[in-house]
Structures are given as C-alpha cells and as structure tokens.
Amino acid sequence: MADDNRPLKYMRYAIGEIILVVIGILIALQINTWKEEHQAKRVEFVILTELKKNIEADILELDSTLTKVNHRIRSSKIILKSLSNNDSYDDSLNSHFGWAMVYDNMQFHTGAYESLKSSGSQLINDESLRFEISNYYDFVINDMKTSFREIRDDFYNYMLDFLRKEFLFFENAGPTAQPTDFEALKQNKTFILSLGIFVDVQRQTEKYLKITLKESRDLLEKIDARIEKIDS
C-alpha cells in the first residue's frame, strides 16, 4: 500500500491494527483480573466456611462446659455451707462432692485458623474481619486456655491429694464421691480453704467462658455477613 503512494491509508490501517491489538490485550487482562478476583473470593469463601464450622463447634463445647462449671460452683457452695453449719452427713452430698472435686477442660478447634496463618491472613479480603479473627484466636482463646490451665494446676496441686486421702471412692460417671470421715472433714481447715480457693478459680473460669462465648458469637455473626456478601 505504501508503494502505491497511499501512506495515509496505510497509516490508518496500521493504527487500526494497533488499536485492535490493544483492545484485545485489555480484554484479556480484564478477563484475567476477573478470574483472579473470582478465585480469591472462592478461596476466602472456603476459609471462612471452615472457620465458621470450627467456631460453631467451639460454641457448643463452651456452652456445655459453662453449664458444668456452674454446676460445680453450686455443689461446692453446698458442701462448704454444710461443713460450716456442722450439718450431719447425708448421702445426697455424694453427688455434690463428685461435682466439686474435679475440673473441666476443652480442646478448641483451631485447624482452619492455623491453615489461614500458614497460607497468609491476606486471603481474608476484609481488613476489619481479618483483625477480628486474629484477635479472637491469639488473645480471647489464649486467655481461655490460660484459665483452663490454672484450674487444672490448682486441681493437681491441691484437690487431687484430698481426693486420694479423704475419700472412699470417686466415680466420674455420676459424678459421685464419698468422704471417708465427714466429721473429720469439718475440722480440716486446709481442705475447706482449698475448696474455697478452688471455687474462686472456677468462678474465674466461668467469667472467661462467658466472655469467650460472647466473642465467639459476635465473630460468627461477622463471618456469616462476609460469607453472604461474597456469595451474593
């Protein structure tokens, strides 16, 4: 076309070709960007769904553990009151001793969070939610675990020795436990003091359980909202 002295027509053709190539590249980039964003949302959706399952499982266990801790505190108070009032021994106390003389623990479901940390927290595109998730597992759950460790340590350092020396039997299935000599137990100031301290530790655990339950439910609500937004 240039040899035929038609440079203007050639330039128009060349420019048209360039524009078509550029448009093709832009479309390809747009499609690639859309695919990457779609894939990122899909990955985030899967991670959040797994986190949701883990937190829901934890809420069930936290609820169950809180119920048992409340029961242990009530039974401990009944025993301390009976010892303080110099009451006569009654078989109904066996159940209260069974509840009062042991402790509770639980394993948190952290698999999804550990996977998120190893893959990179940036996979959660919502910065605020990303912070909430990190705060929940790194601080709220850790505080709850610390409380469980404290009550376990208190049991093994103090209550277990009483359970071995001052009781005829202990059955966790009931639970039930019978003291060897209830009258002697009334005079055992170390036992009474230790059980009172154990109740205080249980109360602290009860407090953290309530906090953790609230934080769990709040986080679950935010995760549900994000999942719904991604899936819409």
Side-chain angles (χ1 to χ4, degrees):
M1 292 174 68
D3 291 343
D4 293 339
N5 295 319
R6 288 184 289 177
L8 184 59
K9 191 176 290 187
Y10 173 75
M11 285 181 64
R12 287 174 180 170
Y13 175 80
I15 291 170
E17 286 291 307
I18 291 170
I19 290 172
L20 286 174
V21 170
V22 170
I23 291 173
I25 292 172
L26 290 174
I27 291 172
L29 287 173
Q30 184 66 31
I31 292 172
N32 189 55
T33 300
W34 179 84
K35 286 181 178 179
E36 287 179 355
E37 289 177 353
H38 180 74
Q39 179 63 23
K41 283 186 176 181
R42 191 63 202 165
V43 170
E44 184 180 2
F45 180 87
V46 171
I47 291 171
L48 290 175
T49 301
E50 289 304 310
L51 282 169
K52 177 182 176 178
K53 290 177 183 177
N54 281 184
I55 295 170
E56 285 175 336
D58 285 342
I59 287 174
L60 289 175
E61 290 195 37
L62 286 164
D63 257 328
S64 174
T65 303
L66 179 59
T67 299
K68 287 186 285 186
V69 168
N70 288 335
H71 198 154
R72 297 191 195 289
I73 291 171
R74 287 196 301 271
S75 288
S76 297
K77 288 180 178 179
I78 289 170
I79 291 168
L80 289 170
K81 184 178 179 180
S82 182
L83 294 172
S84 175
N85 290 345
N86 196 28
D87 293 340
S88 299
Y89 179 73
D90 187 278
D91 286 344
S92 63
L93 288 173
N94 289 355
S95 174
H96 295 301
F97 274 115
W99 277 100
M101 294 301 294
V102 290
Y103 69 100
D104 296 284
N105 197 2
M106 64 170 281
Q107 296 296 320
F108 288 92
H109 301 78
T110 59
Y113 181 61
E114 294 302 326
S115 177
L116 174 62
K117 285 200 299 182
S118 63
S119 301
S121 61
Q122 297 299 320
L123 292 173
I124 305 297
N125 199 37
D126 187 314
E127 185 177 351
S128 176
L129 181 58
R130 191 163 62 236
F131 171 79
E132 294 282 350
I133 292 169
S134 175
N135 181 72
Y136 174 76
Y137 282 99
D138 294 339
F139 294 98
V140 177
I141 294 300
N142 276 344
D143 285 346
M144 190 70 258
K145 288 179 178 179
T146 298
S147 183
F148 279 132
R149 283 195 297 270
E150 287 175 353
I151 198 170
R152 178 199 63 195
D153 292 345
D154 201 59
F155 171 78
Y156 280 106
N157 290 332
Y158 302 101
M159 304 311 296
L160 181 60
D161 195 46
F162 289 117
L163 197 56
R164 286 171 171 166
K165 294 179 179 179
E166 306 294 340
F167 287 80
L168 288 173
F169 67 86
F170 169 79
E171 293 179 4
N172 195 33
T176 181
Q178 182 177 335
T180 304
D181 190 337
F182 186 68
E183 293 303 317
L185 211 54
K186 291 179 186 178
Q187 309 304 318
N188 193 329
K189 294 181 180 180
T190 304
F191 171 78
I192 294 171
L193 177 62
S194 297
L195 183 58
I197 293 172
F198 199 47
V199 172
D200 286 338
V201 178
Q202 298 269 16
R203 285 198 187 103
Q204 188 71 7
T205 301
E206 178 189 35
K207 172 187 171 184
Y208 278 114
L209 281 165
K210 289 178 179 178
I211 291 172
T212 306
L213 267 169
K214 182 181 182 305
E215 294 289 340
S216 299
R217 287 168 176 147
D218 287 348
L219 180 57
L220 188 61
E221 186 177 326
K222 292 173 183 176
I223 288 175
D224 277 334
R226 179 61 183 171
I227 289 174
E228 186 177 345
K229 184 176 181 180
I230 293 171
D231 204 30
S232 61

